[in-house]
């Protein structure tokens, strides 16, 4: 048996990008010559180049993994489902959406490139109506701040989704799950449609 199950596997870049953009807190799993490091870092995605951008404090263990391959997990919405909630379920189950990716972690040392990476991150997460701007910080302070951080990018080499959404259940049961989740977990319910 191969995992994830064929019915749960998603390869469509647009669907995977959407999960990354809506759930950008990535779990990085990387291994140096001594140990495995697990780091949780928010990232922004450039769809055109399949590149993630991020930064971390200098003490973050990700510093040990510069120029090394990393595995990255994005955990989307999930939920527990009980037979008490959904008539078509014979056993409890857990439905979820995740994306797994891999690439090589590269550090960004050049100040101008760090600013571009930071701007990319701001464009992804700041309020579009009234965004905070890098220009609000004096340049000498901005340079000092950038020196205290690790800026990085990861060009995604592989990417796949594991969307376990009760695909092995009847159309009626899945419709009942979607109806239940519209009220209890709307972020997940949209994946059933």
């Amino acid at each position: 048996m191969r995992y994830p199950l064929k019915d749960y596997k998603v390869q469509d870049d647009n669907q995977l990008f959407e999960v990354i953009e809506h759930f950008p807190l990535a779990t990085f799993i990387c291994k140096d010559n001594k140990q495995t490091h697990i780091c949780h870092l928010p990232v922004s995605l450039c769809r055109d180049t399949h590149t993630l951008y991020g930064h971390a404090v200098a003490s973050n263990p990700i510093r040990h993994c510069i120029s090394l391959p990393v595995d990255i997990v994005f955990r989307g919405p999930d939920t527990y489902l009980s037979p008490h909630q959904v008539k078509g379920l014979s056993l409890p189950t857990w439905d979820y959406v995740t994306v797994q990716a891999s690439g090589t972690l590269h550090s960004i040392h050049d100040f101008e490139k760090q600013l571009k990476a930071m701007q990319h991150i701001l464009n992804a997460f700041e309020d579009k109506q009234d965004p905070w701007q890098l220009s609000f910080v004096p340049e000498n302070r901005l340079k000092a701040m950038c020196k205290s951080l690790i800026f990085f990018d990861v060009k995604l080499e592989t990417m796949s989704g594991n969307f376990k959404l009760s695909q092995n259940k009847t159309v009626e049961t899945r419709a009942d799950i979607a109806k239940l989740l519209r009220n209890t977990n709307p972020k997940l319910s949209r994946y059933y449609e």
Side-chain angles (χ1 to χ4, degrees):
M1 177 193 260
R2 299 185 56 85
Y3 188 84
L5 298 179
K6 181 180 71 167
D7 290 343
Y8 302 164
K9 194 168 185 174
V10 174
Q11 292 297 134
D12 178 76
D13 284 354
N14 288 325
Q15 287 182 287
L16 302 177
F17 288 158
E18 186 178 295
V19 174
I20 292 170
E21 290 169 343
H22 285 94
F23 302 92
L25 182 62
T27 301
F28 283 79
I29 304 156
C30 47
K31 188 172 188 169
D32 62 19
N33 58 1
K34 295 179 184 175
Q35 68 183 77
T36 299
H37 303 279
I38 299 174
C39 308
H40 306 283
L41 296 164
V43 294
S44 63
L45 168 71
C46 177
R47 286 185 180 218
D48 293 340
T49 62
H50 289 223
T51 303
L52 302 175
Y53 293 98
H55 64 275
V57 297
S59 61
N60 191 297
I62 204 159
R63 73 184 187 278
H64 300 296
C65 301
I66 302 298
S67 301
L68 295 175
V70 293
D71 292 315
I72 309 160
V73 177
F74 295 91
R75 185 175 155 221
D78 66 282
T79 194
Y80 172 80
L81 295 168
S82 169
H84 283 303
Q85 296 170 295
V86 181
K87 186 169 55 172
L89 296 178
S90 55
L91 293 170
T93 192
W94 202 284
D95 279 5
Y96 55 87
V97 171
T98 63
V99 172
Q100 302 83 47
S102 65
T104 301
L105 184 74
H106 298 284
S107 63
I108 302 171
H109 296 288
D110 179 76
F111 177 65
E112 293 302 319
K113 289 181 180 177
Q114 290 174 340
L115 292 181
K116 285 182 182 178
M118 180 68 81
Q119 190 60 54
H120 193 277
I121 294 164
L122 293 175
N123 292 344
F125 302 124
E126 276 293 319
D127 181 317
K128 304 301 182 225
Q129 302 300 318
D130 186 26
W132 182 86
Q133 300 289 326
L134 283 172
S135 60
F136 296 165
V137 181
E139 187 173 335
N140 62 341
R141 186 165 169 226
L142 200 52
K143 283 183 178 179
M145 186 175 68
C146 286
K147 284 182 183 178
S148 70
L149 298 172
I150 301 166
F151 284 84
F152 63 86
D153 65 37
V154 177
K155 172 101 167 118
L156 298 176
E157 296 162 10
T158 65
M159 188 172 55
S160 67
N162 188 357
F163 290 25
K164 182 187 174 294
L165 302 167
S166 294
Q167 291 95 324
N168 59 339
K169 306 297 182 224
T170 66
V171 171
E172 295 79 17
T173 299
R174 292 189 81 235
D176 287 346
I177 292 170
K179 182 179 177 183
L180 169 73
L181 295 179
R182 275 188 213 107
N183 295 322
T184 61
N185 193 333
K187 288 182 180 181
L188 183 59
S189 71
R190 59 188 293 276
Y191 288 95
Y192 290 83
E193 296 164 12

